[in-house]
Amino acid sequence: MKARQQYEWAIPHIENGLGAIQLSRLDREDVATWIDNLAAGGKLGRRSIQICRTVLRAALTEAVDEGLIPRSPAARVGLPRTVAKEVKPKDAVAWDAADVDRFLEATAEHRWAVAFRLGALFGLRRSEVLALRWDDVDVEAKSLRIDESLVATNEGAAWSNAKNERSRRVIPLDDDTVRALTRRRAEQAAERLAAGSEWEDNDLIIATRTGRLVLPRSYDRALATIVDNAGLPRLTSHGLRHTAATHMVQGARDVGELRAIADLLGHSPEMLMNTYAHVLPQSQTAVVDRISRRNT
Protein backbone atom coordinates (compact mmCIF):
# COMPACT_ATOMS: atom_id res chain seq x y z
CA MET A 1 0.00 0.00 0.00
CA LYS A 2 2.66 2.52 1.02
CA ALA A 3 4.94 1.67 -1.92
CA ARG A 4 2.10 2.18 -4.39
CA GLN A 5 1.25 5.53 -2.83
CA GLN A 6 4.88 6.62 -3.11
CA TYR A 7 4.85 5.71 -6.81
CA GLU A 8 1.62 7.65 -7.36
CA TRP A 9 3.06 10.65 -5.55
CA ALA A 10 6.41 10.62 -7.37
CA ILE A 11 5.15 10.14 -10.93
CA PRO A 12 3.91 13.75 -11.41
CA HIS A 13 7.29 15.09 -10.26
CA ILE A 14 9.05 12.85 -12.77
CA GLU A 15 6.68 13.78 -15.58
CA ASN A 16 7.02 17.51 -14.88
CA GLY A 17 10.81 17.35 -14.91
CA LEU A 18 11.59 14.72 -17.53
CA GLY A 19 8.36 13.96 -19.35
CA ALA A 20 9.23 16.15 -22.36
CA ILE A 21 12.40 14.15 -23.11
CA GLN A 22 12.09 11.06 -25.28
CA LEU A 23 13.10 7.89 -23.45
CA SER A 24 15.74 7.04 -26.06
CA ARG A 25 17.32 10.51 -25.62
CA LEU A 26 17.23 10.63 -21.83
CA ASP A 27 20.77 10.64 -20.43
CA ARG A 28 22.52 10.84 -17.09
CA GLU A 29 22.97 14.61 -17.28
CA ASP A 30 19.19 15.08 -17.74
CA VAL A 31 18.51 13.02 -14.64
CA ALA A 32 21.20 14.78 -12.58
CA THR A 33 19.90 18.20 -13.61
CA TRP A 34 16.35 17.20 -12.72
CA ILE A 35 17.42 16.06 -9.25
CA ASP A 36 19.46 19.23 -8.72
CA ASN A 37 16.41 21.30 -9.67
CA LEU A 38 14.27 19.40 -7.17
CA ALA A 39 16.86 20.11 -4.48
CA ALA A 40 17.04 23.81 -5.37
CA GLY A 41 13.28 24.28 -5.68
CA GLY A 42 12.67 24.47 -1.94
CA LYS A 43 9.53 22.33 -2.05
CA LEU A 44 10.91 18.82 -1.52
CA GLY A 45 13.11 17.55 1.27
CA ARG A 46 15.91 15.03 0.92
CA ARG A 47 13.67 12.04 1.68
CA SER A 48 11.11 13.11 -0.95
CA ILE A 49 13.84 13.57 -3.55
CA GLN A 50 15.17 10.12 -2.70
CA ILE A 51 11.72 8.63 -3.29
CA CYS A 52 11.48 10.37 -6.69
CA ARG A 53 14.87 8.99 -7.69
CA THR A 54 13.96 5.49 -6.50
CA VAL A 55 10.75 5.47 -8.54
CA LEU A 56 12.57 6.77 -11.63
CA ARG A 57 15.28 4.14 -11.25
CA ALA A 58 12.68 1.38 -10.98
CA ALA A 59 10.89 2.60 -14.11
CA LEU A 60 14.11 2.86 -16.12
CA THR A 61 15.30 -0.55 -14.95
CA GLU A 62 12.04 -1.99 -16.24
CA ALA A 63 12.60 -0.20 -19.54
CA VAL A 64 16.04 -1.83 -19.78
CA ASP A 65 14.53 -5.26 -19.04
CA GLU A 66 11.99 -4.74 -21.82
CA GLY A 67 14.73 -3.78 -24.27
CA LEU A 68 13.51 -0.20 -24.71
CA ILE A 69 16.89 1.29 -23.72
CA PRO A 70 20.34 -0.30 -23.40
CA ARG A 71 21.12 1.01 -19.90
CA SER A 72 19.51 3.12 -17.18
CA PRO A 73 20.64 6.78 -17.18
CA ALA A 74 19.64 7.04 -13.52
CA ALA A 75 21.71 4.13 -12.26
CA ARG A 76 24.68 6.18 -11.07
CA VAL A 77 23.04 9.50 -10.27
CA GLY A 78 23.51 10.39 -6.61
CA LEU A 79 21.49 12.53 -4.25
CA PRO A 80 22.27 16.25 -3.95
CA ARG A 81 24.61 17.37 -1.19
CA THR A 82 22.38 20.26 -0.17
CA VAL A 83 18.61 20.74 -0.29
CA ALA A 84 16.99 24.17 -0.21
CA LYS A 85 13.93 23.11 1.76
CA GLU A 86 14.27 24.09 5.39
CA VAL A 87 14.57 21.14 7.72
CA LYS A 88 11.86 21.09 10.38
CA PRO A 89 12.93 20.74 13.99
CA LYS A 90 13.23 17.09 14.86
CA ASP A 91 10.73 15.55 17.19
CA ALA A 92 11.98 14.17 20.46
CA VAL A 93 13.10 10.56 20.26
CA ALA A 94 11.56 9.68 23.61
CA TRP A 95 10.30 11.51 26.68
CA ASP A 96 11.79 11.15 30.12
CA ALA A 97 9.70 10.01 33.07
CA ALA A 98 8.73 13.55 34.07
CA ASP A 99 7.50 14.27 30.54
CA VAL A 100 5.40 11.11 30.56
CA ASP A 101 3.82 12.14 33.86
CA ARG A 102 3.01 15.60 32.48
CA PHE A 103 1.52 14.04 29.37
CA LEU A 104 -0.71 11.67 31.33
CA GLU A 105 -1.88 14.56 33.49
CA ALA A 106 -2.58 16.72 30.41
CA THR A 107 -4.61 13.96 28.74
CA ALA A 108 -6.45 12.68 31.82
CA GLU A 109 -9.74 14.41 30.92
CA HIS A 110 -9.50 13.98 27.16
CA ARG A 111 -12.05 11.75 25.36
CA TRP A 112 -9.17 9.63 24.05
CA ALA A 113 -7.22 9.58 27.34
CA VAL A 114 -7.04 5.78 27.39
CA ALA A 115 -5.61 5.74 23.85
CA PHE A 116 -2.83 8.12 24.79
CA ARG A 117 -2.17 6.08 27.93
CA LEU A 118 -1.93 2.83 25.96
CA GLY A 119 0.53 4.46 23.59
CA ALA A 120 2.74 6.12 26.19
CA LEU A 121 2.85 3.28 28.74
CA PHE A 122 2.15 0.08 26.84
CA GLY A 123 3.63 1.02 23.48
CA LEU A 124 0.58 0.30 21.34
CA ARG A 125 0.89 1.49 17.76
CA ARG A 126 -1.45 4.24 16.56
CA SER A 127 -2.97 1.76 14.10
CA GLU A 128 -3.65 -0.67 16.95
CA VAL A 129 -5.17 1.90 19.30
CA LEU A 130 -7.59 3.21 16.67
CA ALA A 131 -8.74 -0.33 15.81
CA LEU A 132 -9.58 -1.40 19.38
CA ARG A 133 -13.14 -2.55 19.95
CA TRP A 134 -15.01 -3.09 23.18
CA ASP A 135 -15.12 -6.83 22.61
CA ASP A 136 -11.31 -6.75 22.79
CA VAL A 137 -11.52 -5.78 26.47
CA ASP A 138 -11.82 -8.31 29.27
CA VAL A 139 -12.39 -6.28 32.43
CA GLU A 140 -12.52 -9.33 34.70
CA ALA A 141 -9.19 -10.66 33.42
CA LYS A 142 -7.80 -7.11 33.10
CA SER A 143 -6.56 -7.79 29.59
CA LEU A 144 -6.74 -6.35 26.10
CA ARG A 145 -6.70 -8.27 22.80
CA ILE A 146 -4.93 -6.72 19.80
CA ASP A 147 -5.71 -8.32 16.44
CA GLU A 148 -6.64 -5.51 14.03
CA SER A 149 -5.18 -2.25 12.82
CA LEU A 150 -6.44 0.93 11.19
CA VAL A 151 -3.68 2.17 8.89
CA ALA A 152 -3.31 5.55 7.24
CA THR A 153 -3.87 5.80 3.47
CA ASN A 154 -4.17 8.64 0.97
CA GLU A 155 -7.94 8.23 1.22
CA GLY A 156 -7.89 8.42 5.03
CA ALA A 157 -7.66 4.96 6.58
CA ALA A 158 -8.10 1.27 5.84
CA TRP A 159 -8.71 -1.76 8.04
CA SER A 160 -6.07 -4.46 8.21
CA ASN A 161 -5.23 -7.50 10.27
CA ALA A 162 -2.38 -7.09 12.73
CA LYS A 163 1.05 -6.92 11.04
CA ASN A 164 2.09 -10.48 11.89
CA GLU A 165 1.52 -13.23 14.41
CA ARG A 166 3.55 -11.44 17.08
CA SER A 167 1.43 -8.32 16.62
CA ARG A 168 -1.70 -10.36 17.40
CA ARG A 169 -1.46 -10.57 21.15
CA VAL A 170 -3.26 -10.24 24.47
CA ILE A 171 -1.71 -7.88 27.00
CA PRO A 172 -2.42 -7.53 30.73
CA LEU A 173 -3.60 -4.17 32.01
CA ASP A 174 -2.98 -2.30 35.26
CA ASP A 175 -5.85 -1.10 37.43
CA ASP A 176 -5.56 2.54 36.36
CA THR A 177 -5.87 1.59 32.69
CA VAL A 178 -8.89 -0.60 33.40
CA ARG A 179 -10.47 2.37 35.20
CA ALA A 180 -9.66 4.60 32.23
CA LEU A 181 -11.43 2.13 29.93
CA THR A 182 -14.43 1.98 32.23
CA ARG A 183 -14.60 5.77 32.30
CA ARG A 184 -14.34 5.89 28.50
CA ARG A 185 -17.23 3.44 28.16
CA ALA A 186 -19.44 5.59 30.39
CA GLU A 187 -18.50 8.73 28.41
CA GLN A 188 -19.28 6.97 25.14
CA ALA A 189 -22.68 5.85 26.43
CA ALA A 190 -23.52 9.51 27.05
CA GLU A 191 -22.25 10.43 23.58
CA ARG A 192 -24.43 7.72 22.08
CA LEU A 193 -27.52 9.13 23.76
CA ALA A 194 -26.66 12.64 22.59
CA ALA A 195 -26.08 11.46 18.99
CA GLY A 196 -29.42 9.66 18.79
CA SER A 197 -30.19 8.41 15.28
CA GLU A 198 -26.85 9.73 14.02
CA TRP A 199 -24.94 7.15 16.08
CA GLU A 200 -23.03 4.56 14.04
CA ASP A 201 -22.36 1.46 16.10
CA ASN A 202 -18.89 0.16 15.23
CA ASP A 203 -18.05 -1.04 18.76
CA LEU A 204 -14.95 1.19 18.63
CA ILE A 205 -13.31 2.35 21.84
CA ILE A 206 -11.74 5.37 20.17
CA ALA A 207 -14.41 6.91 18.01
CA THR A 208 -15.95 10.22 17.02
CA ARG A 209 -18.91 11.59 18.97
CA THR A 210 -21.19 9.73 16.55
CA GLY A 211 -19.39 6.40 16.81
CA ARG A 212 -17.43 6.58 13.57
CA LEU A 213 -13.78 5.66 13.20
CA VAL A 214 -11.11 8.25 14.01
CA LEU A 215 -8.78 8.94 11.11
CA PRO A 216 -5.05 8.60 11.89
CA ARG A 217 -4.43 12.22 10.87
CA SER A 218 -7.14 13.40 13.30
CA TYR A 219 -5.52 11.43 16.09
CA ASP A 220 -2.12 12.93 15.24
CA ARG A 221 -3.54 16.47 15.22
CA ALA A 222 -5.11 15.95 18.63
CA LEU A 223 -1.84 14.57 19.99
CA ALA A 224 0.17 17.47 18.56
CA THR A 225 -2.22 20.02 20.10
CA ILE A 226 -2.02 18.40 23.54
CA VAL A 227 1.77 18.17 23.41
CA ASP A 228 2.06 21.81 22.33
CA ASN A 229 -0.38 23.10 24.96
CA ALA A 230 1.42 21.13 27.68
CA GLY A 231 4.78 22.60 26.66
CA LEU A 232 6.25 19.14 26.10
CA PRO A 233 8.96 18.27 23.58
CA ARG A 234 7.40 17.48 20.23
CA LEU A 235 6.59 13.80 19.83
CA THR A 236 4.65 11.76 17.27
CA SER A 237 2.38 8.80 17.94
CA HIS A 238 5.32 6.55 17.04
CA GLY A 239 7.34 8.52 19.59
CA LEU A 240 4.82 7.49 22.25
CA ARG A 241 5.49 3.85 21.41
CA HIS A 242 9.22 4.43 21.43
CA THR A 243 8.94 6.19 24.81
CA ALA A 244 7.05 3.26 26.31
CA ALA A 245 9.54 0.74 24.95
CA THR A 246 12.52 2.77 26.14
CA HIS A 247 11.24 3.00 29.72
CA MET A 248 10.26 -0.66 29.84
CA VAL A 249 13.68 -1.77 28.61
CA GLN A 250 15.48 0.59 30.99
CA GLY A 251 13.59 -0.95 33.89
CA ALA A 252 14.11 -4.57 32.87
CA ARG A 253 15.91 -6.65 35.47
CA ASP A 254 16.58 -9.84 33.55
CA VAL A 255 16.23 -11.59 30.20
CA GLY A 256 12.79 -12.88 31.15
CA GLU A 257 11.49 -9.34 31.53
CA LEU A 258 13.01 -8.34 28.20
CA ARG A 259 11.15 -11.23 26.57
CA ALA A 260 7.93 -10.10 28.25
CA ILE A 261 8.49 -6.55 26.97
CA ALA A 262 8.95 -7.88 23.44
CA ASP A 263 5.65 -9.74 23.77
CA LEU A 264 3.87 -6.61 25.04
CA LEU A 265 5.15 -4.59 22.09
CA GLY A 266 4.52 -7.29 19.50
CA HIS A 267 8.24 -7.47 18.70
CA SER A 268 10.57 -10.40 18.40
CA PRO A 269 13.18 -10.46 21.20
CA GLU A 270 15.88 -10.00 18.56
CA MET A 271 14.24 -6.86 17.18
CA LEU A 272 13.77 -5.50 20.68
CA MET A 273 17.44 -5.89 21.53
CA ASN A 274 18.61 -4.52 18.18
CA THR A 275 16.41 -1.46 18.60
CA TYR A 276 16.69 -0.72 22.32
CA ALA A 277 19.93 -2.23 23.58
CA HIS A 278 21.46 1.27 23.57
CA VAL A 279 19.17 2.34 26.43
CA LEU A 280 20.95 -0.09 28.75
CA PRO A 281 24.36 1.62 29.05
CA GLN A 282 24.72 0.38 32.61
CA SER A 283 24.46 -3.29 31.62
CA GLN A 284 28.12 -3.89 30.84
CA THR A 285 29.16 -1.99 33.95
CA ALA A 286 26.83 -4.11 36.07
CA VAL A 287 28.25 -7.31 34.61
CA VAL A 288 31.83 -6.18 35.26
CA ASP A 289 30.91 -5.17 38.81
CA ARG A 290 29.60 -8.68 39.47
CA ILE A 291 32.80 -10.17 38.05
CA SER A 292 34.81 -7.90 40.30
CA ARG A 293 32.88 -8.90 43.41
CA ARG A 294 33.35 -12.59 42.56
CA ASN A 295 37.14 -12.18 42.49
CA THR A 296 37.41 -10.36 45.82
Side-chain angles (χ1 to χ4, degrees):
M1 178 78 73
K2 187 174 181 180
R4 189 185 75 229
Q5 291 173 1
Q6 288 182 345
Y7 270 66
E8 292 173 349
W9 172 84
I11 285 172
H13 293 286
I14 296 171
E15 290 178 339
N16 290 339
L18 300 172
I21 304 173
Q22 286 186 348
L23 180 60
S24 61
R25 294 180 177 272
L26 185 67
D27 60 25
R28 184 184 184 283
E29 185 176 346
D30 294 324
V31 176
T33 299
W34 167 66
I35 288 181
D36 287 341
N37 288 339
L38 291 179
K43 293 183 178 180
L44 299 183
R46 179 171 294 274
R47 174 59 180 156
S48 296
I49 294 171
Q50 184 179 26
I51 291 171
C52 287
R53 186 188 65 165
T54 298
V55 173
L56 177 65
R57 281 180 168 180
L60 292 176
T61 297
E62 186 173 342
V64 172
D65 292 342
E66 293 180 1
L68 299 176
I69 52 177
R71 65 184 63 84
S72 170
R76 297 183 179 276
V77 177
L79 290 172
R81 292 186 177 181
T82 59
V83 176
K85 184 177 181 180
E86 184 178 349
V87 178
K88 293 181 179 179
K90 286 187 177 181
D91 295 335
V93 175
W95 283 332
D96 61 24
D99 290 333
V100 173
D101 289 342
R102 287 170 58 196
F103 177 70
L104 294 177
E105 182 179 355
T107 57
E109 302 303 320
H110 196 280
R111 294 177 58 249
W112 303 337
V114 70
F116 298 131
R117 181 179 181 86
L118 288 168
L121 297 184
F122 290 83
L124 265 67
R125 301 174 177 91
R126 177 188 63 185
S127 60
E128 294 171 340
V129 167
L130 296 181
L132 291 174
R133 302 180 190 270
W134 286 112
D135 68 1
D136 294 322
V137 180
D138 188 331
V139 173
E140 293 299 320
K142 295 195 291 188
S143 67
L144 183 66
R145 182 179 65 238
I146 300 159
D147 58 7
E148 283 188 291
S149 60
L150 187 67
V151 298
T153 67
N154 284 345
E155 293 74 32
W159 289 97
S160 174
N161 292 329
K163 292 176 63 176
N164 51 51
E165 190 167 344
R166 287 191 181 277
S167 295
R168 294 186 289 275
R169 60 202 190 276
V170 176
I171 64 172
L173 301 174
D174 66 301
D175 290 338
D176 285 342
T177 302
V178 172
R179 281 191 285 270
L181 282 164
T182 303
R183 184 167 60 250
R184 174 67 196 132
R185 188 149 208 171
E187 292 169 351
Q188 195 175 78
E191 291 170 355
R192 182 172 189 159
L193 286 174
S197 61
E198 294 184 9
W199 182 262
E200 185 177 297
D201 190 5
N202 293 299
D203 198 39
L204 290 168
I205 296 175
I206 307 304
T208 68
R209 294 184 186 277
T210 55
R212 292 172 173 80
L213 63 84
V214 172
L215 294 177
R217 62 173 175 265
S218 299
Y219 180 85
D220 285 346
R221 281 198 295 266
L223 174 61
T225 299
I226 291 168
V227 169
D228 185 56
N229 290 343
L232 288 162
R234 290 180 55 194
L235 200 72
T236 63
S237 54
H238 181 72
L240 288 185
R241 175 174 168 81
H242 186 64
T243 293
T246 298
H247 287 281
M248 283 191 278
V249 171
Q250 284 178 334
R253 292 172 293 183
D254 53 43
V255 174
E257 288 194 3
L258 288 172
R259 177 58 188 264
I261 292 166
D263 291 341
L264 282 172
L265 294 169
H267 274 325
S268 68
E270 295 78 13
M271 180 179 291
L272 181 78
M273 289 308 300
N274 288 339
T275 305
Y276 296 102
H278 68 281
V279 302
L280 289 170
Q282 73 278 17
S283 296
Q284 289 184 336
T285 302
V287 171
V288 173
D289 285 345
R290 284 195 292 272
I291 293 172
S292 176
R293 288 196 297 271
R294 184 176 184 274
N295 292 329
T296 57

